[in-house]
Amino acid sequence: MTVRSVGSVDGPELCLEYPDDLAEDERDELLQRMTQMFSLERNLQDFYETVSVSKEWAGLIQRLYGVRPIQDADLFESMVRTIIGQQLNLSFAATLMERLVQLGDERVVWKQQTLPVFPSAKTVAEWTYPRLRELAFSQRKAEYVIDFARHVASGAIDLEKLRDLPDEDVYEVLMPLRGVGRWTVECFLLFGMGRTDILPAADIGIQNAVQRLYHMADRPKEADIRQIASVWAPWRSYATYYLWQSLLRDEN
């Protein structure tokens, strides 16, 4: 499908172009997923009013006004992306993701273009660790990615059923898996499921962004972040996204 923005910052609208032969229930699901993926069901003004109790947010809101978190299109891809990104810089993590897609060698044709598709859990589950090692994955990273794919492919983990669970239950299901820690699940809840009140307070990027935003002499610790962020509820995911964006945009 093709997605175009036809609205405004204050009134976002998307124009979707998809195959004519989609069944009605497929179209309904598609509309629902796109609404969630682009966070169109959320009122940003509620978020702005919540964080504006801290005067330090005024400048950041002005810079990023209208920016909405975009969710990953697929839960399996979201978790693999997060596992790959653990303790890596963004550039190298993106390179590994690209190599993973190339290895999967799955394609879809849309408007006379052949587009790469993220490999399925079944495809990744059939790979060996040395195969990913050849692509510059570390041994542990290769194990974490492939083992997670095998859990999903075997049905031991049903990612779609996780959508109906509260946050803490998602932690209980995923954190026992090798290579999946609290930060991993937090990012999965934020970017995969679109939960609105997630705070990865142990994230170094968040700590650096808060230090800069609040003009702090030292980088705050996890406990400090949680205390500062208590007034951001129930929009801590959005605050997290804006803080990350503040670092990315400063780098650019």
Side-chain angles (χ1 to χ4, degrees), residues 122-143:
K122 182 177 183 300
T123 296
V124 178
E126 293 174 351
W127 294 343
T128 62
Y129 305 144
R131 200 166 186 187
L132 289 189
R133 289 297 308 275
E134 293 173 357
L135 303 181
F137 281 70
S138 68
Q139 177 66 27
R140 286 191 176 181
K141 192 81 70 175
E143 293 173 4

Side-chain angles (χ1 to χ4, degrees), residues 52-65:
S52 290
V53 297
S54 302
K55 64 181 185 301
E56 291 85 356
W57 277 84
L60 184 55
I61 291 173
Q62 184 177 12
R63 287 174 56 201
L64 301 180
Y65 185 78

Side-chain angles (χ1 to χ4, degrees), residues 34-227:
M34 290 302 100
T35 299
Q36 294 172 346
M37 184 174 175
F38 290 93
S39 304
L40 297 182
E41 77 277 27
R42 309 297 183 189
N43 185 349
L44 285 182
Q45 294 306 319
D46 292 340
F47 161 58
Y48 294 149
E49 290 175 8
T50 299
V51 296
S52 290
V53 297
S54 302
K55 64 181 185 301
E56 291 85 356
W57 277 84
L60 184 55
I61 291 173
Q62 184 177 12
R63 287 174 56 201
L64 301 180
Y65 185 78
V67 171
R68 295 169 180 267
I70 298 178
Q71 296 175 40
D72 295 323
D74 175 78
L75 293 181
F76 174 68
E77 178 180 350
S78 181
M79 178 58 88
V80 172
R81 181 188 302 276
T82 304
I83 291 173
I84 288 176
Q86 291 172 156
Q87 299 179 330
L88 293 181
N89 64 61
L90 291 175
S91 177
F92 187 52
T95 297
L96 293 183
M97 282 289 291
E98 183 177 351
R99 292 173 181 172
L100 195 77
V101 171
Q102 291 173 347
L103 181 61
D105 197 28
E106 298 179 25
R107 302 284 187 271
V108 63
V109 177
W110 174 244
K111 289 192 167 185
Q112 290 77 54
Q113 296 184 71
T114 301
L115 305 172
V117 176
F118 194 82
S120 66
K122 182 177 183 300
T123 296
V124 178
E126 293 174 351
W127 294 343
T128 62
Y129 305 144
R131 200 166 186 187
L132 289 189
R133 289 297 308 275
E134 293 173 357
L135 303 181
F137 281 70
S138 68
Q139 177 66 27
R140 286 191 176 181
K141 192 81 70 175
E143 293 173 4
Y144 297 161
V145 168
I146 292 175
D147 289 355
F148 177 72
R150 289 171 179 168
H151 283 297
V152 175
S154 69
I157 298 292
D158 188 331
L159 294 177
E160 288 302 319
K161 284 187 177 180
L162 297 182
R163 293 185 186 274
D164 299 325
L165 298 181
D167 296 343
E168 288 307 316
D169 288 355
V170 177
Y171 287 114
E172 289 184 12
V173 171
L174 295 178
M175 284 185 61
L177 303 179
R178 288 185 66 232
V180 177
R182 187 169 186 87
W183 179 90
T184 317
V185 182
E186 287 169 339
C187 291
F188 176 73
L189 287 167
L190 203 163
F191 290 110
M193 294 191 172
R195 302 293 171 91
T196 62
D197 201 29
I198 302 299
L199 178 69
D203 185 85
I204 299 300
I206 294 299
Q207 294 173 2
N208 288 336
V210 168
Q211 179 184 3
R212 182 179 305 182
L213 183 65
Y214 285 82
H215 307 290
M216 303 170 72
D218 300 313
R219 190 176 74 200
K221 295 179 169 51
E222 179 178 353
D224 302 323
I225 297 290
R226 296 200 182 280
Q227 181 177 359

